[in-house]
Amino acid sequence: MDIPSSSRDFHCLQLACVALSLVAGSIIIGVSMSKAAAAMGGIFIGAAGLGLLILAYPFMKARFNLDRILPTIGSLRIHPHPGPDHGEGRSSANGNKEEARSSLSTVSRTLEKLKMGSRGTGES
């Protein structure tokens, strides 16, 4: 038994599933008393959003020329600012150790100053 179906029927079925998922998620969130039930409703709404995105992707691809835009978005990288130059003779590991030691000594000096200040206020 072979039932012929067209792409229009498939898209209508997809849209009906999205609508059903939105309605079910909204009802579950609306009547839920616990956070777990509300989270389940959120999953239904998220599934509806994903279904809507899958349904709309071919139209968005044709309209916005996503073949050109998506590789550009994928190639974006965040480049952090390079740290100070440690010189030619030093290795970066030794430089990091020295930076950690200097910051540790700065913290130690600050703690000592705070201790001295609190001792002075405690006696009066």
Side-chain angles (χ1 to χ4, degrees), residues 9 12 22 40 59 67 69 90 109-110:
D9 293 338
C12 288
L22 275 174
M40 196 64 183
F59 303 109
D67 289 334
I69 296 171
R90 287 179 163 173
R109 284 192 303 263
T110 306

Side-chain angles (χ1 to χ4, degrees), residues 7-67:
S7 65
R8 183 176 180 184
D9 293 338
F10 178 71
H11 288 300
C12 288
L13 180 63
Q14 244 182 339
L15 192 58
C17 288
V18 165
L20 182 65
S21 183
L22 275 174
V23 169
S26 298
I27 290 172
I28 290 172
I29 288 176
V31 300
S32 65
M33 298 300 251
S34 69
K35 291 181 182 178
M40 196 64 183
I43 290 172
F44 272 89
I45 291 178
L50 181 63
L52 196 60
L53 183 67
I54 291 170
L55 183 67
Y57 179 74
F59 303 109
M60 290 187 329
K61 184 177 178 182
R63 176 76 176 150
F64 298 118
N65 195 9
L66 293 180
D67 289 334

Side-chain angles (χ1 to χ4, degrees), residues 23 36 79 95 98 100 112 120:
V23 169
H79 300 288
E98 289 176 12
E112 287 298 320

Side-chain angles (χ1 to χ4, degrees), residues 106-121:
T106 304
V107 170
S108 298
R109 284 192 303 263
T110 306
L111 286 174
E112 287 298 320
K113 288 178 184 177
L114 288 173
K115 283 181 186 177
M116 294 301 247
S118 65
R119 287 181 190 158
T121 58

